[in-house]
Amino acid sequence: MNVVVCVKQIPDPADPGALDPTTKTLKRDGKLILDESDSYGVEMALQLVTAAGGGEVTLVSMAPNGEVSGLRTALAMGAAKAILVSDDALAGSDALGTAKVLAKAIERVEGADLILTATESSDGYTGTVPEQVAGLLDLPSVTFAKHIEVDGSTVKVQRQTEAGYDDVECPLPAVVSVTAGVVEPRYPSFKGIMAAKSKPVDTLTVADLGLDASQVGWAGAGQEIVSIEEAPAREAGEVIEDDGTAFEKIVAYLDNLKVL
Amino acid sequence: MSTPTGAPAPDPRDFLRLDGLLSDEEQLLRDTVRRFVADRILPEVGTWFDEGRFPSRELAPELGRLGLLGMHLEGYGCAGSSATAYGLACLELEAGDSGARSFVSVQGSLAMFPIWRFGSEEQKAEWLPRMAAGEVIGCFGLTEPDSGSDPGAMRTRAVRDGGDWVLNGTKMWITNGSVADVAVVWARTDDGVHGFIVPTGTRGFEAHDIHKKVSLRASVTSELVLTDVRVPESLRLPEVRSLRGPLSCLNEARFGILFGAAGAARACYEAALDYAGERVQFGVPISSFQLTQRKLVEMMVRVQKATLVALHLGRLKDQGLLAPAQVSFGKMDNVREALWVAREARSVLGANGITLEYPVIRHMNNLESVVTYEGTNEVHTLVLGQALTGIDAFAPG
């Protein structure tokens, strides 16, 4: 059982992020960490490999620089190796450009039975890359998995819905996106942390993948960010003095928001 | 924000950019322990402290899975990390609570270390892997009711009887005593001081918890009473027959403490910094007042200096250059500075500084133990005095 997990390294959400006024995108020049939403896919993959009794987890990631600290976190959790596509030409990639790169990188992993992703990244939030990767690889795609079980050459997925979940099955290999919070990502063990530095990270360029630089980054992007604006400052809340009828006003307020 | 020189403005929580002194691996390890503390210790430690308990059985396997138990030892299921990495783990644990760091110090540096350093191959193979995994909890019996700073005055005796040893005596202030599965007990014999691996289920072994503590309440502290406790020769540590044995264990543990104290100090400083920014008096945050700013600055400077000292001593230890007197430097100064920071932080928090809703009074009370255990401030001062002058001033007369 070999599982590929697509992971993204993002600026630490604990640090105040900033948008670059020139490129109108998130500044990514500082240290990058493993996107927390990807840690669930990594954990799920490790559990599936253990349940299968063999195989390994391979990470696939792309970044405009050679940053690997987020990958080391996932390697310390137990992934065996990583492919990092790192190329200046990747700056400005939109979701489809990202998917093209990831799909090409995934094709280089021999014997991949299952490809896991998060449902969306915590910095970009497009939520479209998993389906695009599946489309480019011509593989079945299942989204919002809360539980995954592999049975021979079939994957059985509990697919989260607003009402509960659907049981979905499809043949392997397949691309499955994992909902955040459905498993408890393990802490990297100290042995894992020390072993991670000697695990292979294969760093590739866009050209290594057989892609032309015009297909990715700003050059290949089908979208343009026209303008960016500061988020409006939070307005002061409404203060209700309780004269004995405060509950009515609160109920009316909530009713107006249609949350009751 | 940047300064006129173009250098980024200092981070109030890492003013001197000490993070830059850590390798990526050390940062990941540090961040992992910090996350564990945030997830598993901080949400509940106020309650544990209030109720005077520490969930040792529950936490030991989790600490073991992380690799925290005996982490700087090589082989036998131990992680085999650098000394600096061990120190950083202690720093983060003690930023949670000194009780959590004490548990790990005792298990790794006081119970596992003597077996690893002075034990036979069979003893190591039998005990260390289970202790590293947190399946077996250990404690360390050296201090006695009448023998603290002067361990040479110990009364616990071990007498040879055929193929066995018979131990009698009382040990006091033993962290993890009543929860331990195994105790490393030091006893006087006709042939010097020896260490014994005593399973706590052995007949004649009793542990009584010490109650009514107002410090290290989230930690188990016990008295051990040994009455004709019979252990086979195979449980005596073969490679040591003097006080050098237990003292070398204490040196290991003190190394963890000098990092831990920097963590407790950091937690107090950060609590005060946050509080001062939010607490409004006379219409302004109290961080606006010059007196408060001075407190924050003095705390920050002491936290940064303690961390620097710890990191430097860690690097020396990893190079094999750390002398016991240098450990005394770190233990003496970092703990007293941490205590100073805790008291100062408590004053910034005013009345809120005395409740367990905030970490400060808990750290402050804990540090009152840390400043005297594992060598009192006075003992470490005399160790340093002897190192400076060549004159032993421990025993007057």
Side-chain angles (χ1 to χ4, degrees):
Chain A
M1 180 74 193
N2 291 312
V3 185
V4 173
V5 188
C6 298
V7 298
K8 188 171 186 182
Q9 303 178 103
I10 63 169
D12 190 341
D15 296 334
L19 292 168
D20 184 325
T22 317
T23 65
K24 304 187 183 70
T25 56
L26 193 62
K27 285 187 184 172
R28 298 171 185 280
D29 42 5
K31 187 181 172 184
L32 302 179
I33 65 166
L34 180 68
D35 187 342
E36 194 213 344
S37 65
D38 287 325
S39 63
Y40 304 99
V42 174
E43 177 62 37
M44 194 79 100
L46 292 169
Q47 289 183 12
L48 287 168
V49 166
T50 304
E56 62 181 26
V57 175
T58 304
L59 309 168
V60 169
S61 188
M62 67 172 248
N65 57 29
E67 176 69 61
V68 293
S69 56
L71 292 177
R72 293 284 175 217
T73 304
L75 291 169
M77 288 171 72
K81 61 185 196 294
I83 296 176
L84 173 66
V85 186
S86 169
D87 201 315
D88 292 340
L90 290 170
S93 291
D94 61 5
L96 187 56
T98 304
K100 285 177 189 166
V101 170
L102 293 176
K104 282 286 181 194
I106 291 165
E107 281 176 353
R108 298 172 74 97
V109 181
E110 284 179 29
D113 300 300
L114 176 66
I115 295 107
L116 297 183
T117 69
T119 55
E120 59 189 357
S121 64
S122 305
D123 60 344
Y125 287 113
T126 67
T128 52
V129 171
E131 297 73 31
Q132 291 170 335
V133 168
L136 290 163
L137 293 171
D138 200 19
L139 292 177
S141 163
V142 182
T143 51
F144 297 105
K146 70 188 282 278
H147 182 78
I148 302 176
E149 197 180 318
V150 171
D151 184 5
S153 58
T154 304
V155 61
K156 299 177 175 179
V157 176
Q158 292 179 358
R159 181 180 186 276
Q160 206 154 29
T161 67
E162 281 187 20
Y165 64 86
D166 298 332
D167 280 314
V168 182
E169 284 186 26
C170 74
L172 290 173
V175 179
V176 179
S177 72
V178 177
T179 307
V182 295
V183 284
E184 178 93 10
R186 67 195 63 189
Y187 300 103
S189 76
F190 295 170
K191 279 186 192 167
I193 290 170
M194 288 186 285
K197 67 178 172 208
S198 53
K199 289 181 174 174
V201 177
D202 197 5
T203 305
L204 304 173
T205 62
V206 170
D208 291 336
L209 295 176
L211 287 171
D212 192 272
S214 66
Q215 294 173 271
V216 298
W218 298 112
Q223 68 177 26
E224 186 190 348
I225 302 167
V226 183
S227 71
I228 51 174
E229 281 175 44
E230 291 282 325
R234 229 181 340 176
E235 291 172 19
E238 185 181 341
V239 178
I240 299 173
E241 294 283 350
D242 188 8
D243 56 1
T245 62
F247 70 97
E248 289 174 0
K249 291 174 185 162
I250 292 170
V251 168
Y253 177 79
L254 294 173
D255 197 37
N256 192 36
L257 291 175
K258 300 195 183 340
V259 294
L260 290 181
Chain B
M1 187 168 68
S2 65
T3 62
T5 62
D11 176 355
R13 283 153 210 273
D14 181 20
F15 200 82
L16 298 177
R17 298 179 77 92
L18 301 185
D19 261 15
L21 299 176
L22 307 181
S23 69
D24 287 349
E25 182 182 307
E26 286 165 343
Q27 288 187 35
L28 178 53
L29 189 140
R30 189 267 318 266
D31 292 346
T32 301
V33 183
R34 192 179 288 192
R35 186 154 68 89
F36 177 81
V37 168
D39 292 347
R40 293 293 286 119
I41 307 283
L42 289 177
E44 294 186 75
V45 70
T47 305
W48 299 337
F49 190 98
D50 192 36
E51 296 173 358
R53 65 189 179 88
F54 184 76
S56 316
R57 279 288 156 209
E58 190 185 322
L59 285 176
E62 295 180 36
L63 296 164
R65 268 196 296 281
L66 271 177
L68 273 165
L69 304 177
M71 67 180 276
H72 61 312
L73 307 180
E74 280 286 345
Y76 308 99
C78 303
S81 75
S82 68
T84 305
Y86 170 61
L88 291 167
C90 288
L91 189 152
E92 293 302 328
L93 284 168
E94 194 147 358
D97 191 83
S98 302
R101 201 267 308 135
S102 293
F103 181 90
V104 169
S105 286
V106 168
Q107 179 81 352
S109 290
L110 295 183
M112 294 173 71
F113 178 78
I115 297 172
W116 181 84
R117 175 74 181 76
F118 305 118
S120 67
E121 197 50 45
E122 294 74 25
Q123 289 168 346
K124 294 180 201 182
E126 180 179 356
W127 295 101
L128 292 178
R130 288 186 292 153
M131 294 177 84
E135 293 162 14
V136 167
I137 295 176
C139 68
F140 176 85
L142 175 66
T143 298
E144 300 187 354
D146 298 320
S147 159
S149 296
D150 181 14
M154 77 166 70
R155 291 185 190 153
T156 299
R157 278 195 69 81
V159 176
R160 192 73 193 249
D161 183 30
D164 294 339
W165 290 86
V166 178
L167 279 70
N168 278 286
T170 304
K171 297 293 182 182
M172 195 66 176
W173 309 114
I174 308 304
T175 300
N176 298 351
S178 68
V179 296
D181 304 290
V182 64
V184 173
V185 175
W186 299 92
R188 175 182 304 288
T189 74
D190 291 338
D191 177 33
V193 171
H194 285 262
F196 297 87
I197 304 170
V198 183
T200 56
T202 308
R203 182 196 294 264
F205 184 99
E206 286 176 65
H208 310 288
D209 280 348
I210 296 167
H211 297 290
K212 299 188 178 177
K213 289 183 297 174
V214 290
S215 175
L216 284 181
R217 287 183 55 74
S219 178
V220 174
T221 314
S222 316
E223 173 196 45
L224 308 182
V225 180
L226 298 97
T227 311
D228 292 332
V229 170
R230 183 175 286 272
V231 294
E233 162 69 6
S234 63
L235 289 180
R236 183 179 64 83
L237 297 173
E239 302 297 330
V240 64
R241 57 187 60 215
S242 74
L243 274 179
R244 189 180 56 80
L247 294 182
S248 66
C249 301
L250 292 174
N251 207 47
E252 289 295 304
R254 288 164 185 163
F255 174 78
I257 290 171
L258 68 89
F259 274 86
R266 185 191 77 201
C268 292
Y269 158 64
E270 290 185 352
L273 183 66
D274 291 344
Y275 187 87
E278 290 162 9
R279 172 75 172 176
V280 174
Q281 289 293 284
F282 304 102
V284 290
I286 61 171
S287 57
S288 316
F289 302 126
Q290 291 183 359
L291 293 176
T292 305
Q293 287 200 1
R294 178 176 183 168
K295 290 178 187 180
L296 295 173
V297 168
E298 291 286 348
M299 283 189 269
M300 181 277 289
V301 168
R302 283 165 162 86
V303 170
Q304 292 282 291
K305 284 200 295 191
T307 308
L308 259 178
V309 167
L311 281 172
H312 177 67
L313 295 180
R315 301 296 182 210
L316 284 184
K317 188 166 167 65
D318 281 325
Q319 293 168 53
L321 295 174
L322 184 64
Q326 289 163 328
V327 176
S328 289
F329 179 115
K331 202 276 180 181
M332 179 194 79
D333 196 51
N334 279 10
V335 179
R336 74 175 174 189
E337 291 289 46
L339 195 51
W340 188 94
V341 169
R343 289 169 178 159
E344 202 72 356
R346 177 257 169 280
S347 81
V348 172
L349 269 71
N352 283 312
I354 67 156
T355 78
L356 291 173
E357 297 297 314
Y358 293 87
V360 174
I361 192 81
R362 185 165 48 75
H363 284 298
M364 189 178 111
N365 279 17
N366 284 340
L367 288 164
E368 291 289 355
S369 292
V370 180
V371 76
T372 59
Y373 77 8
E374 309 274 350
T376 61
N377 189 279
E378 289 78 1
V379 162
H380 288 299
T381 304
L382 294 183
V383 168
L384 290 164
Q386 183 178 14
L388 298 187
T389 63
I391 301 168
D392 174 354
F394 284 92

